[in-house]
Amino acid sequence: MESTSSLCLALFEKTVTAYGTLFNPLGIIDDTTRQILNYRLKESAVLEGIYENLAAIYRFQYGTAQLEIIWDGKSHFEKFTDDWSDVCGKWIAELCQNKTFVKGILHMTVFNAEGKNTVFIENCLKAIINEYFDLKVLTRRGVKKLYVKIPLSSKAS
């Protein structure tokens, strides 16, 4: 079973790998690269907002098949966690192809040594996720709601 903290750690590790691919393809070890490679994510709480939005989108897109018949002997919980961790890993890899997303995750973790408020960066990352999935995830009083974005017509009717 993949827990929230392990998937947040996977998000961070894939971000570090993506940084090397996108911003340092020659693998030159400078001060910034050294700082990124030496950083250890101690608390996954800083990335849990991003994780929660991805989880909400997963429940929205795959929520109708939760009571299917499973023939391999797994419980519904085991199947759900396996499927969720596979999809989450795939989505993280795809999102880490976006340079702004990678920079945002690094600014929330590695370059936030002083523990500054990262709400603006988190909102920017959530906007990237919303744009990627053509959805809008809103949280009001602790409840997440998803809205499907309807493309605006370029022609006046």
Side-chain angles (χ1 to χ4, degrees), residues 130 133-136 147-154:
N130 289 346
F133 290 103
D134 284 331
L135 294 170
K136 184 154 183 105
Y147 299 96
V148 178
K149 289 184 179 179
I150 299 171
L152 297 175
S153 173
S154 60

Side-chain angles (χ1 to χ4, degrees), residues 19 24 27-39 106 110-111:
Y19 170 81
N24 191 8
I28 298 170
I29 304 297
D30 58 359
D31 291 337
T32 303
T33 305
R34 191 175 295 109
Q35 185 179 1
I36 292 169
L37 294 175
N38 290 337
Y39 184 82
L106 292 175
V110 177
F111 303 118

Side-chain angles (χ1 to χ4, degrees), residues 1 70 73-85:
M1 179 181 113
I70 303 170
K74 288 183 183 178
S75 70
H76 283 91
F77 180 75
E78 291 170 325
K79 178 165 177 22
F80 177 81
T81 54
D82 290 345
D83 291 350
W84 162 232
S85 33

Side-chain angles (χ1 to χ4, degrees), residues 6-76:
S6 62
L7 287 173
C8 287
L9 180 62
L11 168 60
F12 176 74
E13 290 171 350
K14 287 185 183 185
T15 300
V16 170
T17 303
Y19 170 81
T21 304
L22 296 172
F23 297 102
N24 191 8
L26 297 177
I28 298 170
I29 304 297
D30 58 359
D31 291 337
T32 303
T33 305
R34 191 175 295 109
Q35 185 179 1
I36 292 169
L37 294 175
N38 290 337
Y39 184 82
R40 299 292 168 248
L41 186 65
K42 295 175 185 117
E43 286 189 33
S44 62
V46 70
L47 296 175
E48 284 180 5
I50 304 301
Y51 168 85
E52 288 172 359
N53 273 29
L54 290 173
I57 292 169
Y58 179 79
R59 285 189 301 272
F60 175 75
Q61 290 185 348
Y62 297 98
T64 58
Q66 290 183 7
L67 296 177
E68 64 186 303
I69 297 174
I70 303 170
W71 300 102
D72 61 1
K74 288 183 183 178
S75 70
H76 283 91

Side-chain angles (χ1 to χ4, degrees), residues 56-138:
I57 292 169
Y58 179 79
R59 285 189 301 272
F60 175 75
Q61 290 185 348
Y62 297 98
T64 58
Q66 290 183 7
L67 296 177
E68 64 186 303
I69 297 174
I70 303 170
W71 300 102
D72 61 1
K74 288 183 183 178
S75 70
H76 283 91
F77 180 75
E78 291 170 325
K79 178 165 177 22
F80 177 81
T81 54
D82 290 345
D83 291 350
W84 162 232
S85 33
D86 291 344
V87 169
C88 185
K90 179 180 155 257
W91 287 351
I92 289 169
E94 292 169 1
L95 288 166
C96 283
Q97 294 175 10
N98 182 319
K99 289 182 177 184
T100 306
F101 186 83
V102 171
K103 287 180 183 179
I105 297 292
L106 292 175
H107 278 287
M108 287 179 67
T109 55
V110 177
F111 303 118
N112 190 24
E114 300 86 30
K116 294 179 183 172
N117 190 351
T118 59
V119 172
F120 178 75
I121 297 169
E122 185 175 348
N123 288 339
C124 178
L125 292 172
K126 288 177 180 180
I128 291 170
I129 293 169
N130 289 346
E131 187 69 29
Y132 180 78
F133 290 103
D134 284 331
L135 294 170
K136 184 154 183 105
V137 181
L138 294 176

